[in-house]
Amino acid sequence: MKVSPSLLSADFGNILPDIEMINRSESDYLHLDVMDGVFVPNISFGFPVMKAVARRCTKPLDVHLMIVEPDKWISQVRDLGAEIMNVHQEACTHLHSVVQRIHQAGMKAGVTINPATPVNTLVDIIEDVDLVLVMSVNPGFGGQPFITHSLKKVAELAELKRITGSKAIIEVDGGVNKATGRQLAEAGAEMLVAGSYVFGASDPEEAIRSLKRL
Ligand code: DX5
Ligand code: ZN
């Protein structure tokens, strides 16, 4: 299982030890949640903060943009050195074009779907993307309970991959812990985001390891 801990649950008053923990850990990525107060009812952090984090972080960055018009920021996300740029399907009128532009910028393109967005909206884009991020909570906040229906969506997505031959990685974000992570792994998830489960743990590196082993 690939693991992408979400910095949203880190200690923003003393962030360096949390980044160093990620660097030491078995995590595959660092997940960065950008919120604009328009697409989601919260504001998190922007490019100045992410640039400082990127300078200290040795893991590849998995940037999750919960913002309107994410295509305006492709070059800035590229300049961070991000490996994955995730945009919401619901935020992109011209999703195919946005995916192409993310690729032209040299990044992996991820498309994210909210809990009420059906998997079948991805039928005509699944072969063009590197990753699909299934939201298993409504985006905007860490620490929310896992929406069980997401398991069905992950299984549907795994089936869509099988039918189309798409190589898109199935990533899941929201309410992930060891128990929900195990169910997600059985449903076909290949990469898990975890915020509060990791940073709220007494041993965050062990929490990451417990998801890696799923
Ligand atoms: C929610 C964010 C998540 C969040 C997950 O809008 O996209 O990445 O940090 O937090 P947990 O793992 O606590 O649900
Ligand atoms: Zn996220």
Side-chain angles (χ1 to χ4, degrees), residues 32-185:
L32 295 174
D33 288 300
V34 183
M35 305 179 188
D36 65 355
V38 179
F39 184 72
V40 290
N42 198 7
I43 296 175
S44 56
F45 44 73
F47 288 99
V49 172
M50 290 196 287
K51 270 187 201 158
V53 169
R55 274 198 295 272
R56 299 290 193 160
C57 185
T58 56
K59 301 284 181 178
L61 302 179
D62 165 30
V63 177
H64 177 196
L65 298 175
M66 286 162 275
I67 62 174
V68 296
E69 301 183 303
D71 52 304
K72 280 188 178 168
W73 308 98
I74 292 172
S75 59
Q76 283 88 336
V77 176
R78 188 237 6 246
D79 291 348
L80 284 176
E83 182 172 312
I84 303 169
M85 175 166 167
N86 277 300
V87 297
H88 270 258
Q89 184 266 16
E90 304 86 359
C92 298
T93 308
H94 300 290
L95 184 58
H96 185 267
S97 155
V98 176
V99 166
Q100 283 182 315
R101 287 168 53 204
I102 294 171
H103 282 152
Q104 280 159 11
M107 293 180 285
K108 291 182 178 156
V111 172
T112 309
I113 52 171
N114 279 332
T117 302
V119 167
N120 66 20
T121 58
L122 301 174
V123 166
D124 292 310
I125 198 74
I126 186 95
E127 289 167 74
D128 297 302
V129 298
D130 302 288
L131 184 148
V132 174
L133 176 55
V134 176
M135 289 308 300
S136 43
V137 297
N138 284 294
F141 304 91
Q144 303 180 79
F146 180 75
I147 298 172
T148 313
H149 178 74
S150 317
L151 294 170
K152 187 168 165 273
K153 292 177 72 176
V154 169
E156 272 177 42
L157 198 49
E159 176 64 7
L160 185 60
K161 274 185 61 171
R162 198 188 61 74
I163 294 166
T164 59
S166 160
K167 297 274 181 288
I169 288 170
I170 303 178
E171 181 178 20
V172 185
D173 184 3
V176 170
N177 55 38
K178 196 174 170 185
T180 57
R182 182 172 293 122
Q183 292 175 294
L184 285 163

